[in-house]
Amino acid sequence: FGYLGSMSHFISELFLKGNVESGCIWAWHTSWYRAAQSLPEDRVLFIAFEEMKADLPAAIRKIAVFCDIPHDDALVAKVAEASGFKAM
């Protein structure tokens, strides 16, 4: 992007106000929250980075169940290994 300003300016004047390439994060989250409220419970899955970081295998299982993907402990372990920071 080539932004040369301070992190404080970026956060307060650009990111929080939605003046970034990806748009307003608050509007984006609000749209998904509204979609989740208007659709059946099995149509939108919210999962936080912190949840995945705390217990990646459990998060993988949660996603697999939500997507109706058959999985076992071996597959979950394989996906966790391929999804971890060390694999990136």
Side-chain angles (χ1 to χ4, degrees):
F1 294 121
Y3 177 75
L4 300 175
S6 70
M7 179 61 86
S8 175
H9 177 265
F10 177 81
I11 297 293
S12 65
E13 298 303 318
L14 301 176
F15 180 75
L16 291 177
K17 294 181 179 180
N19 296 324
V20 291
E21 183 177 1
S22 57
C24 178
I25 190 169
W26 313 119
W28 186 84
H29 281 285
T30 300
S31 69
W32 278 107
Y33 178 78
R34 287 184 180 143
Q37 298 302 306
S38 67
L39 294 170
E41 194 172 288
D42 64 346
R43 297 292 305 274
V44 178
L45 173 67
F46 284 106
I47 190 163
F49 170 81
E50 293 82 5
E51 185 178 347
M52 293 183 286
K53 182 79 173 138
D55 190 348
L56 185 56
I60 292 166
R61 285 186 192 89
K62 183 176 183 177
I63 294 166
V65 167
F66 180 79
C67 295
D68 199 24
I69 297 171
H71 59 284
D72 57 19
D73 290 343
L75 179 59
V76 169
K78 189 174 183 179
V79 171
E81 184 177 338
S83 302
F85 285 109
K86 290 180 183 177
M88 293 184 191

